[in-house]
Amino acid sequence: GFGGEVALGYLSTNGNSNTSSLNAKLDLHYTQTQWKNAFVATALGASDKGSSTAERYTVGDQYNYNLTPLDFVFANADYVKDLFDPVGQRTTEAVGYGRHFLTGPVQILDGQIGVGAQQTRYNVTDQRTSDGILQLGGLYAWKISPTSTFTETPKLEYGTANTYFESVTELKMNIVGNLFAGLSYTLRHNSIVPAGTGKTDTVTAANISYNFGVK
């Protein structure tokens, strides 16, 4: 069946930009017995004294096809555009294999490995690179109580032109019905960036989300 999440919240960023800003997230998924499609889009923007100081957009989609109840193959594509990060634009495509190591109801653990390609444009130098990558990803979810859930979502994209690592840590607490409050911490790291820019950025966010449909 169909389900998803809509979230809106306040966040602070530290790294190449230090701002207060608003963020939005749309998470949609459709699941059948043999396959699942998951789409996620995010946006954030900030201004300081009338000038824009942060602007970032992401769109991602992943298709999973189940080989067994625990094993699956996947294909995904991601696009990132950031006007203030050293990496101004990144497009990634990958295919690979994944496995459900824990299936709940208290804990969920997924892991996946794949290969693909990545196209990158840097903001400062306008340099463009194209590279083959090894992609590693995962999901850990722990239902701490009937009203609270902890999740950790790491991702690593290893290439010769750059290695990108991202970690998203989130705690969600049920307010009432399908309404949730969430606290998240995101760390992003690029191994190679233009001179004079930082390699690591962090985002701390608090938001309110509404969940609907099939979880």
Side-chain angles (χ1 to χ4, degrees), residues 71-101:
D71 303 284
F72 63 92
V73 292
F74 71 87
N76 62 37
D78 296 286
Y79 174 78
V80 177
K81 184 176 179 65
D82 195 314
L83 300 186
F84 293 86
D85 193 78
V87 177
Q89 186 172 297
R90 176 189 287 116
T91 305
T92 305
E93 312 88 16
V95 294
Y97 163 80
R99 182 171 176 83
H100 305 295
F101 294 99

Side-chain angles (χ1 to χ4, degrees), residues 194-207:
T197 61
K199 294 183 176 182
T200 302
D201 285 287
T202 64
V203 177
T204 303
N207 58 48

Side-chain angles (χ1 to χ4, degrees), residues 16 26 46 56 63:
N16 288 285
L26 175 64
R56 181 180 177 89
Y63 178 86

Side-chain angles (χ1 to χ4, degrees), residues 153-175:
T153 312
K155 177 171 66 175
L156 176 70
E157 295 171 349
Y158 174 80
T160 56
N162 181 46
T163 296
Y164 174 71
F165 174 75
E166 178 181 279
S167 169
V168 182
T169 306
E170 184 175 21
L171 177 65
K172 290 180 64 175
M173 297 154 286
N174 183 242
I175 300 173

Side-chain angles (χ1 to χ4, degrees), residues 30-85:
Y30 189 81
T31 306
Q32 291 293 324
T33 304
Q34 288 296 114
W35 59 273
K36 176 180 180 179
N37 190 80
F39 171 86
V40 179
T42 68
L44 72 84
S47 61
D48 183 11
K49 299 179 181 179
S51 299
S52 181
T53 56
E55 190 172 343
R56 181 180 177 89
Y57 307 95
T58 71
V59 177
D61 191 81
Q62 176 159 321
Y63 178 86
N64 293 352
Y65 183 81
N66 296 324
L67 302 174
T68 73
L70 296 179
D71 303 284
F72 63 92
V73 292
F74 71 87
N76 62 37
D78 296 286
Y79 174 78
V80 177
K81 184 176 179 65
D82 195 314
L83 300 186
F84 293 86
D85 193 78

